[in-house]
Amino acid sequence: MHQLAPKLLSAIPDHLAPDGSEIRELLSVTGASLAHCTLPPNQMSKAVKHRTVEEIWYVLAGQGQVWRKLGIDELVVDAVPGMALTIPRDTHFQFRNTGPEPFVFVIATSPKWPGADEAISVPDYW
């Protein structure tokens, strides 16, 4: 039954991500994990890239901007509720809250998030 147990979102973060955002762990299976991420108003993450994982983000609340650079491709998007975006492996990325409310999104990671050593610092965009 343990593998089938649901989990409610925690009121307090489980930890701070290497980029500085608040992470609440949800669930994981052998090949993927799901987390809830919050960046408070007037905050900006640190720019990082991932060693082995890829991510899909889905914005739940607030508004922000997300910078991503992979090779020669570079893009800044205004992220709003209902938007989904990807963070392919080796993509440099940084995000910031541009509104008065928390910027909140869920993150699906494949493979499962291995730990804080996964993120490598890269030069900030902002």
Side-chain angles (χ1 to χ4, degrees):
M1 281 302 278
H2 178 37
Q3 292 180 348
L4 302 180
K7 183 175 181 183
L8 290 173
L9 184 67
S10 172
I12 54 174
D14 293 306
H15 56 270
L16 289 180
D19 60 30
S21 58
E22 299 173 358
I23 298 294
R24 290 165 178 84
E25 296 176 9
L26 294 171
L27 296 172
S28 65
V29 292
T30 302
S33 58
L34 187 66
H36 181 278
C37 182
T38 302
L39 190 65
N42 302 313
Q43 296 295 310
M44 180 173 20
S45 74
K46 296 176 180 126
V48 298
K49 70 174 185 170
H50 294 148
R51 295 176 195 268
T52 63
V53 303
E54 298 184 299
E55 295 181 336
I56 299 172
W57 295 7
Y58 181 75
V59 180
L60 298 173
Q63 57 191 22
Q65 288 186 314
V66 181
W67 163 73
R68 293 169 294 160
K69 180 180 181 191
L70 181 59
I72 61 170
D73 294 329
E74 186 169 16
L75 183 65
V76 174
V77 296
D78 293 321
V80 296
M83 177 182 282
L85 56 95
T86 61
I87 309 289
R89 186 177 54 83
D90 287 329
T91 299
H92 295 208
F93 68 97
Q94 186 176 22
F95 54 101
R96 61 183 178 176
N97 185 327
T98 57
E101 303 295 326
F103 180 40
V104 181
F105 49 99
V106 292
I107 303 170
T109 302
S110 178
K112 178 165 68 170
W113 183 256
D117 290 342
E118 172 64 20
I120 303 167
S121 293
V122 297
D124 285 334
Y125 178 78
W126 289 292

